[in-house]
Amino acid sequence: MFLILLHSPKGNIKNTHNHQNKTTTSFSKKGILLRKEETNLLLINNKKPLKSDDSLNTQLLIDKYKDDLIIIDLTKVDSKKLSHGQTIEIWFDELQESFPPKAMVEKYHIIMDK
């Protein structure tokens, strides 16, 4: 039987299941805020949306850019300054392995307005 331990040197998050501290690292990604609605989409990998993409619904955008998207949850941050088309950097502790991946944004920085 093999036991693999992963250790990361930054940050502490309380594990509510066994009440011990678990160490994790914050990650970041840069991209274009493709959609800011109920489902927020961050377009990554230096992809740029087409002007015609503005008329696509969320599911069509996910289908079109699925390999270059992260679905982001903005409920933990004040997202009033964010708008469609901005280039932003987001920080998150965990990237859920879904298709496309999902992340809860811990903080963000606007790099460039549209």
Side-chain angles (χ1 to χ4, degrees), residues 38-50:
E38 188 174 319
T39 302
N40 306 293
L41 304 175
L42 181 69
L43 185 59
I44 58 172
N45 296 332
N46 296 318
K47 297 284 183 171
K48 302 232 183 288
L50 301 173

Side-chain angles (χ1 to χ4, degrees), residues 18-34:
N18 63 9
H19 304 291
Q20 294 178 352
N21 285 340
K22 177 181 171 185
T23 304
T24 61
T25 299
S26 286
F27 301 95
S28 73
K29 277 290 191 186
K30 294 178 186 175
I32 296 172
L33 189 57
L34 187 59

Side-chain angles (χ1 to χ4, degrees), residues 29 31-37 40-42 72-91 104-114:
K29 277 290 191 186
I32 296 172
L33 189 57
L34 187 59
R35 181 69 37 106
K36 183 186 175 205
E37 291 178 351
N40 306 293
L41 304 175
L42 181 69
I72 56 175
D73 183 339
L74 297 171
T75 57
K76 284 190 169 182
V77 295
D78 180 4
S79 62
K80 292 176 192 166
K81 295 179 181 179
L82 291 177
S83 62
H84 165 81
Q86 291 174 317
T87 302
I88 63 173
E89 182 171 9
I90 61 166
W91 283 266
M104 169 118 8
V105 176
E106 300 291 328
K107 67 179 182 175
Y108 68 87
H109 172 72
I110 298 170
I111 297 171
M112 185 173 63
D113 274 323
K114 40 181 173 172

Side-chain angles (χ1 to χ4, degrees), residues 1-25:
M1 183 183 275
F2 293 99
L3 176 64
I4 299 174
L5 298 175
L6 298 176
H7 178 70
S8 176
K10 295 183 183 175
N12 284 326
I13 292 179
K14 185 141 183 163
N15 183 335
T16 57
H17 295 292
N18 63 9
H19 304 291
Q20 294 178 352
N21 285 340
K22 177 181 171 185
T23 304
T24 61
T25 299

